[in-house]
Amino acid sequence: MKMRMLFVLLTLFYFSNSVYSQDDVIGDWKGEYLSDYGDSGTITAEVIAQKDDGYLALIRIDYGPKLELAGKKASAGAVFSGEIYVGEDLGGSYQINAKILDGVFKGKFSGVQTTGTISMKKIVKKSPTLNMKPPENAIVLFDGSNLNAWRQKNGKAAMWKILPDGAMEVTKQDIVTQKKFSDFKLHLEFKTPLKPEATGQARGNSGVYLLERYELQILDSYGLTPQNNDCGAIYKVAAPLRNACYPPLRWQTYDITIHAPRFDKSGKKISNAEVTVEQNGILIQDKTEIPHPTGSRFSKNEVKEGGILLQDHHNPVQFRNIWILPL
Ligand code: MG
């Protein structure tokens, strides 16, 4: 009997550890708060993985501002504890003690005026253009089978890994399309790696360089107030209009329309490149003018056509389903 119980306990211990993954904790949560007086409303959280098994939950009450609640990895799931200030109208500060376990984020809150409970479930968003088929006139740049449309900048064969699921992963060197394009629509799907220990530009960095010069940033910027070097930014030129990022390890989409700069007969630029971008179906760049090449790695000159370049920033970002429709 004792042996049997030990076996059960060991099995439970093993199971509770083996099913735990950070991916079960990070991401979007949505549900309800309920006070002991019967007041209720919407509560959401965006959970970000941080260094040293830490988490940060960005909590919103009734779609108010984001409030930070610190968390920590537990033997299974995660625990969160701290004080949030929701404004005098809602009773000032509240202590929250909550945990994420088995797909539920729940706990208790207590303040001067009232106590109550919160309960949220995981939301997994899906881009409306995910897996979008290329239109008839489109040129397929990557469909999971080969890297024939791509080369390294020095002209050698592209070296990126193609994974068994048909995605390609940043491996070595930037890659650029063999063909050059001017005005076009580009669809691509990308996935950033989970790098809890990294912050800022080291957290899942890659990028799509349009005409080999203008970088549309790829980064794990999930939950952040976007800056002009975050995901969806035209690097150091324009921050995205809003944060449309999914958490790392989720496939995301970019649907890009760009008009190349125009030049007069003498070669003088008469209009800037102009780009519109939807990330995960949400407008993040709206006819943004790009006055000059971004960053310092590439040509300073501007041209009326160029390749699509995917950046090797030494992070295993993945790409799939890439096609382009010249306009
Ligand atoms: Mg980049």
Side-chain angles (χ1 to χ4, degrees):
M1 193 62 184
K2 270 184 181 167
M3 280 303 287
R4 193 176 203 179
M5 193 169 271
L6 184 65
F7 177 73
V8 168
L9 282 173
L10 280 173
T11 307
L12 277 173
F13 179 76
Y14 174 74
F15 192 64
S16 67
N17 276 286
S18 63
V19 294
Y20 166 76
S21 115
Q22 286 179 306
D23 191 30
D24 295 330
V25 173
I26 61 169
D28 297 307
W29 297 82
K30 187 176 181 182
E32 206 183 40
Y33 66 86
L34 178 64
S35 84
D36 294 339
Y37 292 129
D39 295 331
S40 65
T42 301
I43 180 168
T44 62
E46 293 165 296
V47 180
I48 298 168
Q50 294 187 323
K51 65 177 182 179
D52 302 329
D53 292 331
Y55 290 105
L56 181 68
L58 300 167
I59 304 267
R60 300 179 79 190
I61 310 289
D62 295 328
Y63 303 103
K66 291 181 182 182
L67 306 165
E68 295 188 356
L69 181 67
K72 197 92 186 149
K73 179 183 170 183
S75 58
V79 291
F80 293 82
S81 177
E83 198 173 78
I84 60 168
Y85 177 75
V86 297
E88 293 308 315
D89 289 356
L90 290 170
S93 293
Y94 289 88
Q95 173 68 33
I96 297 187
N97 293 300
K99 63 182 171 186
I100 290 176
L101 190 63
D102 298 334
V104 186
F105 189 165
K106 65 177 180 182
K108 290 189 160 61
F109 64 84
S110 61
V112 177
Q113 292 180 10
T114 183
T115 58
T117 57
I118 59 169
S119 181
M120 292 179 272
K121 288 209 159 135
K122 190 81 174 276
I123 306 285
V124 178
K125 292 176 185 162
K126 192 175 161 193
S127 168
T129 69
L130 196 72
N131 301 314
M132 195 182 189
K133 295 239 178 339
E136 215 164 276
N137 302 327
I139 299 163
V140 174
L141 297 176
F142 182 67
D143 67 1
S145 56
N146 63 69
L147 294 171
N148 294 348
W150 305 82
R151 57 175 171 78
Q152 296 180 39
K153 281 212 63 152
N154 62 13
K156 289 185 181 161
M159 302 283 281
W160 289 14
K161 251 188 286 191
I162 298 181
L163 305 172
D165 66 1
M168 63 168 157
E169 186 172 285
V170 176
T171 313
K172 197 175 165 188
Q173 301 291 332
D174 301 330
I175 60 171
V176 62
T177 55
Q178 309 252 29
K179 283 200 176 78
K180 291 182 192 302
F181 305 97
S182 183
D183 299 352
F184 57 84
K185 283 179 188 287
L186 174 67
H187 172 91
L188 67 84
E189 303 180 9
F190 66 93
K191 182 162 80 174
T192 59
L194 180 59
K195 295 190 74 191
E197 74 290 354
T199 58
Q201 297 292 307
R203 195 163 159 120
N205 196 333
S206 181
V208 188
Y209 283 76
L210 307 162
L211 281 78
E212 294 172 60
R213 281 156 179 79
Y214 314 114
E215 183 186 12
L216 172 61
Q217 176 69 301
I218 288 177
L219 193 67
D220 171 15
S221 304
Y222 173 69
L224 307 180
T225 302
Q227 310 296 318
N228 71 2
N229 57 1
D230 275 322
C231 199
I234 303 302
Y235 188 73
K236 296 279 181 80
V237 168
L241 296 171
R242 49 190 66 82
N243 188 333
C245 297
Y246 293 165
L249 307 178
R250 300 262 176 259
W251 283 105
Q252 307 192 52
T253 56
Y254 271 155
D255 289 282
I256 303 160
T257 304
I258 187 164
H259 294 279
R262 296 292 192 265
F263 303 87
D264 67 14
K265 278 185 186 145
S266 73
K268 185 171 164 281
K269 190 170 73 169
I270 51 173
S271 66
N272 286 325
E274 185 195 271
V275 69
T276 295
V277 182
E278 288 186 4
Q279 183 182 3
N280 300 323
I282 294 168
L283 184 68
I284 57 159
Q285 296 287 350
D286 187 9
K287 298 189 171 129
T288 303
E289 276 196 42
I290 313 176
H292 50 73
T294 63
S296 55
R297 306 172 66 185
F298 299 112
S299 317
K300 288 271 175 279
N301 72 322
E302 292 190 271
V303 289
K304 60 183 183 197
E305 60 171 22
I308 310 295
L309 183 143
L310 302 178
Q311 185 188 39
D312 171 14
H313 205 285
H314 317 301
N315 289 184
V317 173
Q318 294 178 15
F319 293 87
R320 70 178 192 193
N321 191 22
I322 310 175
W323 49 260
I324 191 165
L325 190 63
L327 297 174

